[in-house]
Amino acid sequence: MNEILKLMNSHTSVRNFKDYPISDETLQELIRAGQSAASSNFIQAYTVIRVNDPEKRKIIAELAGNQSHVEDAPLFLVFVADLERARLSTTLHEEKMVHGQTEAFIISTVDTALMAQNVMLAAESMDLGGVYIGAIRNNPQVVSELLDLPDHTYPLFGMCLGYPDSKNEVKPRLPLEIVLKTDSYQSGNEVELLRNYDETMEAYYEKRTTANRTDNWTRQMARMFSKPLRPHMKDFLESRKLNMR
Ligand SMILES: Cc1cc2nc3c(=O)[nH]c(=O)nc-3n(C[C@H](O)[C@H](O)[C@H](O)COP(=O)(O)O)c2cc1C
């Protein structure tokens, strides 16, 4: 296995950081690496906001369900899916943006996620670690106001970064046969593979050194998808002129 594959396979989210700052140079290097990601139609539909203000961090940490690492991490970034520059570009050419297109929403979300994952991987290559914070979407309105986000943008997720103080054991992923198929989705043995994976995950959750518990993957999914997921998101996106049609 080459060094890049080793690095990728050793990913774990990091939530505890050494009290050691990340320099501006390092941040700029990370963002440049993020920008190297492929981008749909080269829209580069993202903006990254570094949140330094302790008061803003505190508010975001709380609305993200009291995730203390949002306050404590040396670096906290908010990744904004951004179609505002595209809108501005249309006005520079006497055109008018067609608002609220589902396709544009998908493009901006995908672009931002690809960029962010490049940032994460670049960080890990520099012995940094981090964790995504999707929970900023618990209250995306407040995050948008705190960061003065214009219409045609929305805060997709945050990311805590820093030098790891401790790390979890690598979490086993779904078996390859479940995520890689040939010619057809249908394989027939999905349930059996999931049951095997549940056993793997049960062993992982029981043995891991931090936050060990009795749980498995399908149970986790059942809990999650049997209730509404941030049902405010549709109205929120509409309020940002990102309604979908
Ligand atoms: C978009 C996204 C949002 C996430 N949001 C959170 C979060 O709000 N808080 C958190 O502790 N972890 C969050 N995570 C981390 C996942 O829980 C984690 O990646 C997953 O459990 C796999 O564990 P690993 O990253 O250690 O391999 C998020 C991950 C992604 C990709």
Side-chain angles (χ1 to χ4, degrees):
M1 203 186 281
N2 71 38
E3 292 307 310
I4 295 174
L5 291 176
K6 272 188 211 158
L7 177 76
M8 293 170 109
N9 285 301
S10 65
H11 160 82
T12 62
S13 291
V14 172
R15 299 174 181 83
N16 297 301
F17 303 100
K18 292 200 163 76
D19 189 15
Y20 190 77
I22 294 177
S23 69
D24 282 359
E25 263 172 23
T26 301
L27 171 63
Q28 285 163 15
E29 224 169 335
L30 292 177
I31 300 302
R32 266 195 294 271
Q35 287 184 275
S36 307
S39 163
S40 181
N41 292 291
F42 203 41
I43 301 176
Q44 306 173 77
Y46 42 71
T47 295
V48 182
I49 302 186
R50 164 177 31 177
V51 185
N52 280 350
D53 181 336
E55 197 47 42
K56 291 187 182 185
R57 287 248 210 147
K58 189 167 186 281
I59 295 169
I60 296 173
E62 276 169 17
L63 65 81
N66 295 317
Q67 298 200 48
S68 56
H69 34 278
V70 171
E71 267 193 279
D72 303 340
L75 192 60
F76 180 66
L77 304 174
V78 173
F79 287 78
V80 179
D82 186 348
L83 293 166
E84 170 54 15
R85 271 190 300 268
R87 187 206 61 79
L88 192 57
S89 303
T90 59
T91 65
L92 294 178
H93 293 276
E94 287 80 44
E95 299 284 353
K96 204 162 176 287
M97 189 185 201
V98 180
H99 294 164
Q101 301 193 79
T102 302
E103 179 61 9
F105 172 78
I106 293 172
I107 285 172
S108 65
T109 305
V110 170
D111 260 23
T112 309
L114 294 179
M115 192 271 187
Q117 181 53 27
N118 257 22
V119 170
M120 179 67 87
L121 193 58
E124 289 171 344
S125 79
M126 298 162 91
D127 293 325
L128 291 160
V131 63
Y132 287 91
I133 305 294
I136 66 166
R137 296 194 308 276
N138 287 350
N139 199 332
Q141 186 63 43
V142 168
V143 176
S144 303
E145 284 163 15
L146 275 179
L147 304 180
D148 308 313
L149 301 188
D151 282 349
H152 313 288
T153 69
Y154 82 100
L156 180 58
F157 43 64
M159 187 187 285
C160 300
L161 288 171
Y163 293 92
D165 198 25
S166 63
K167 272 184 148 185
N168 288 330
E169 291 89 344
V170 171
K171 239 185 206 178
R173 270 25 187 187
L174 282 162
L176 205 58
E177 306 94 287
I178 259 190
V179 296
L180 173 65
K181 312 200 186 219
T182 304
D183 293 333
S184 166
Y185 185 92
Q186 307 301 335
S187 54
N189 59 346
E190 208 96 334
V191 171
E192 188 193 335
L193 290 169
L194 284 179
R195 288 207 197 292
N196 291 344
Y197 183 55
D198 272 347
E199 283 176 22
T200 307
M201 286 309 295
E202 263 167 38
Y204 167 82
Y205 283 128
E206 265 160 34
K207 279 194 208 124
R208 76 174 177 185
T209 40
T210 52
N212 60 333
R213 60 181 201 258
T214 306
D215 206 353
N216 66 40
W217 189 81
T218 57
R219 200 181 294 145
Q220 244 177 285
M221 295 306 110
R223 270 200 308 272
M224 179 164 179
F225 288 100
S226 55
K227 57 176 200 252
L229 288 172
R230 299 191 179 116
H232 53 267
M233 281 309 291
K234 185 168 181 291
D235 286 348
F236 166 71
L237 289 172
E238 278 180 18
S239 77
R240 318 285 308 160
K241 296 196 167 53
L242 293 166
N243 46 312
M244 297 200 218
R245 58 190 162 93

